Amino acid sequence: MADARDPWRAQWRHGGDSLILVAVAAAHVSSAGFLGGLKPFKPAVNTSNVNMPSITTAPPEGTAMSTDPTASTAVATFQVRHLSVPLPLPYDRAIERFGELVPAADLARFGRLADWDAVLEQAEVNAPHGFMVYWQADVTALMAGSGSGWQCTEYLMGNHVIAERMFRHDPTAMLYAPLRVVIHTDRTGHTRFAIDQPSTLFASLGNPDITAVGTELDALVADLLTALGATVPPELSA
């Protein structure tokens, strides 16, 4: 039996050349965060071979924000699909190529823009493949001396223009935006690209408008993997 303190239960399965981890997570958030109320999880991807649990009932649609400290916590249980995709590039070249395709967000320039229309235009320039990097960490350097043998870089990758289309409906969408990405070597020394599939993350919020954006993000991730020379997992195009 899993540790009761650990909300994650996971099982790896193979999907072509990619490893796919289906994880079940219990998310605890304030009921005020679900502006439209929770609905049963209806993933935007093909999950015919996965037993998908339903989300517990939440406050009715239109429920006002509560200031009552004794108000009940809304609990949602949902499944996340984790993708670990092999890259045909050596680790150092994969990191370099990723940086070419996903530039760092020019936050200083964004901060000087006068209005949202200007932000939209700048995002088109700053994110030629739809994504920008908002943060990255050289995990290899951080773990130096620990005895860990992996090479690993971690990123927060996204696009705040796209995120705004979800944020306007529910601020808790920002739990998953930007997306977390890890590029690392495996036990054989080969390079892999790891990410939680966006549509499975955002579908958990039970809002069809947010789910639709999550599906668009799946397509952008698929395009990015193609640009990196990888074989796109079929789950991203289901």
Side-chain angles (χ1 to χ4, degrees):
M1 179 176 296
D3 188 333
R5 296 169 298 175
D6 184 1
W8 291 93
R9 302 191 304 280
Q11 181 176 7
W12 284 99
R13 63 183 177 83
H14 285 278
D17 291 331
S18 303
L19 291 175
I20 302 168
L21 176 68
V22 179
V24 181
H28 298 265
V29 297
S30 167
S31 58
F34 290 84
L35 301 184
L38 288 174
K39 303 173 184 177
F41 175 37
K42 296 181 179 178
V45 295
N46 180 11
T47 56
S48 58
N49 60 342
V50 180
N51 182 22
M52 305 295 289
S54 60
I55 291 178
T56 56
T57 303
E61 189 168 332
T63 300
M65 181 179 292
S66 172
T67 57
D68 181 358
T70 65
S72 61
T73 298
V75 179
T77 300
F78 61 98
Q79 289 192 345
V80 176
R81 181 176 288 114
H82 176 78
L83 303 174
S84 179
V85 183
L87 298 180
L89 301 170
Y91 174 79
D92 289 341
R93 176 54 186 151
I95 296 300
E96 180 182 22
R97 181 61 176 150
F98 181 85
E100 295 167 356
L101 297 169
V102 188
D106 190 345
L107 299 180
R109 179 179 291 274
F110 278 114
R112 294 193 296 268
L113 299 177
D115 54 40
W116 191 249
D117 286 339
V119 171
L120 294 172
E121 293 178 5
Q122 179 58 28
E124 289 283 341
V125 175
N126 201 158
H129 291 272
F131 292 121
M132 297 171 266
V133 168
Y134 293 87
W135 174 87
Q136 75 178 72
D138 182 348
V139 182
T140 307
L142 290 173
M143 301 296 180
S146 70
S148 303
W150 315 106
Q151 290 180 288
C152 180
T153 302
E154 182 180 7
Y155 303 90
L156 292 181
M157 172 189 83
N159 187 321
H160 54 288
V161 166
I162 297 175
E164 188 278 331
R165 293 167 51 205
M166 298 182 284
F167 177 74
R168 70 179 69 166
H169 299 289
D170 188 340
T172 62
M174 304 310 292
L175 284 168
Y176 313 121
L179 302 168
R180 189 176 295 271
V181 172
V182 172
I183 297 177
H184 67 96
T185 53
D186 61 18
R187 295 185 185 279
T188 66
H190 294 95
T191 310
R192 304 192 75 90
F193 177 104
I195 189 171
D196 289 335
Q197 186 171 350
S199 62
T200 64
L201 292 172
F202 293 110
S204 70
L205 299 177
N207 184 308
D209 294 318
I210 293 175
T211 299
V213 178
T215 302
E216 292 179 29
L217 290 169
D218 281 4
L220 287 176
V221 171
D223 290 344
L224 175 60
L225 288 170
T226 298
L228 287 167
T231 299
V232 177
E235 286 77 10
L236 285 174
S237 57

